[in-house]
Amino acid sequence: MVGFVLMLVRYSMLYVLSIDWLSVYGIYAGDGDVWEPVPGGDFSYKLESFGTRSFSRFHRVRLANNEGGFDEFAEVQSVPYSSILPPYAIIVRFVNRFLYSPDFWKLANDFCTLNQIDIRGISRIDIAADFNQFATIDPRALIEGFAAKKFRHIGRGVGSLGFNHGVVRGDYGVNYTGLTFGTHSSDAHCYLYDKTFELLTQGDKPWIKERWKRVGLDIRKVWRLEVSIKSGGLRFKDKATKKTVEVGVEMASEDDSLDKIYHTFVRKLFSFVVNRPNIKNIT
């Protein structure tokens, strides 16, 4: 039986694909071993008094806006504690808001070029599809069906259900808001959730809603199916060519390649069959 995930590919369905998290690793390619911010352009920098778990220096990068102020653009970790890493190793995480900007890749390239940062790979990327409905099933019905054991997830592993509950108009009920397979420590994990509900309860992000409006989504009820992939999960074998593929910045910056990457991981992590008696584990 075809997994429900293929509804994104095989049937007509309106969705918009976005990168929601992007951190990259690289090296400082300038003189000396320690990166120092390069003044110039529209970027400004702030060195915090603290580091991170793996790096002793932590800079915030801001970008000038049209109103005469600055917006947070990126965070840069440099000077690693571990001697395993070279002293010129760097990790850059770009701020969520700019990932939704049409000129993000140009801005990222401008920043790295100015600061002589040579990007070597992706340390984490989250790719998300936002939509109102699957083509053949309501997202909430899928979650409820899985919770009721009507549907079986293809593959083993751990997961979690998101929900809220309470009494409404005299009747107690459970409202399912999300379904996750994998954990934050996994090389890759996938989760379906009510994005409208999240923005309502955890803080609004107008730049995401503007993207919904531009593609014609009904912003009153938008669901998100998101895959989060760490560096360890970004190397896999292409079944068609039998070659090992490594997802890099070049692939992530191209819309067609990003779509293929996304669907590859969704097929692997978020496929279901109708449950039936005496069915064996499907992996």
Side-chain angles (χ1 to χ4, degrees), residues 114-248:
L114 175 66
N115 283 275
Q116 297 179 281
I117 297 174
D118 183 8
I119 300 301
R120 297 298 178 87
I122 296 173
S123 55
R124 174 182 161 188
I125 185 171
D126 292 3
I127 312 171
D130 294 334
F131 54 93
N132 295 128
Q133 291 285 333
F134 285 126
T136 58
I137 190 170
D138 178 77
R140 194 181 307 281
L142 173 60
I143 299 173
E144 292 174 348
F146 175 78
K149 297 189 288 187
K150 294 180 180 178
F151 306 131
R152 180 180 287 247
H153 178 250
I154 299 176
R156 301 183 182 181
V158 298
S160 60
L161 281 167
F163 63 89
N164 55 69
H165 64 100
V167 177
V168 179
R169 291 187 292 274
D171 186 28
Y172 174 78
V174 176
N175 175 42
Y176 290 104
T177 58
L179 176 62
T180 301
F181 291 100
T183 68
H184 289 288
S185 62
S186 306
D187 282 343
H189 65 280
C190 186
Y191 40 113
L192 170 69
Y193 60 105
D194 184 338
K195 188 64 178 179
T196 301
F197 178 77
E198 184 198 65
L199 295 181
L200 179 65
T201 58
Q202 298 186 25
D204 197 16
K205 294 181 178 179
W207 54 93
I208 293 181
K209 289 183 176 178
E210 285 301 317
R211 190 171 178 85
W212 294 349
K213 291 177 182 177
R214 286 199 300 269
V215 300
L217 292 178
D218 181 351
I219 68 172
R220 295 172 296 178
K221 178 59 67 176
V222 175
W223 289 84
R224 170 168 287 193
L225 182 58
E226 185 167 351
V227 292
S228 179
I229 317 162
K230 296 180 180 178
S231 57
L234 290 171
R235 289 176 61 90
F236 57 92
K237 182 170 288 188
D238 188 309
K239 291 183 177 180
T241 64
K242 307 300 182 183
K243 295 181 179 179
T244 299
V245 177
E246 182 170 3
V247 177

Side-chain angles (χ1 to χ4, degrees), residues 22-39:
L22 181 64
S23 57
V24 297
Y25 62 88
I27 62 170
Y28 169 55
D31 296 331
D33 287 340
V34 177
W35 172 74
E36 294 292 346
V38 177

Side-chain angles (χ1 to χ4, degrees), residues 22 73 94-95 98-109:
L22 181 64
F73 177 72
F94 297 99
V95 172
F98 278 97
L99 295 175
Y100 289 82
S101 172
D103 59 350
F104 164 70
W105 290 109
K106 179 184 181 302
L107 293 171
N109 182 68

Side-chain angles (χ1 to χ4, degrees), residues 43 45 61 73 76 92 107-115 117:
F43 297 102
Y45 309 86
V61 183
F73 177 72
V76 181
V92 181
L107 293 171
N109 182 68
D110 289 347
F111 167 74
C112 291
T113 300
L114 175 66
N115 283 275
I117 297 174

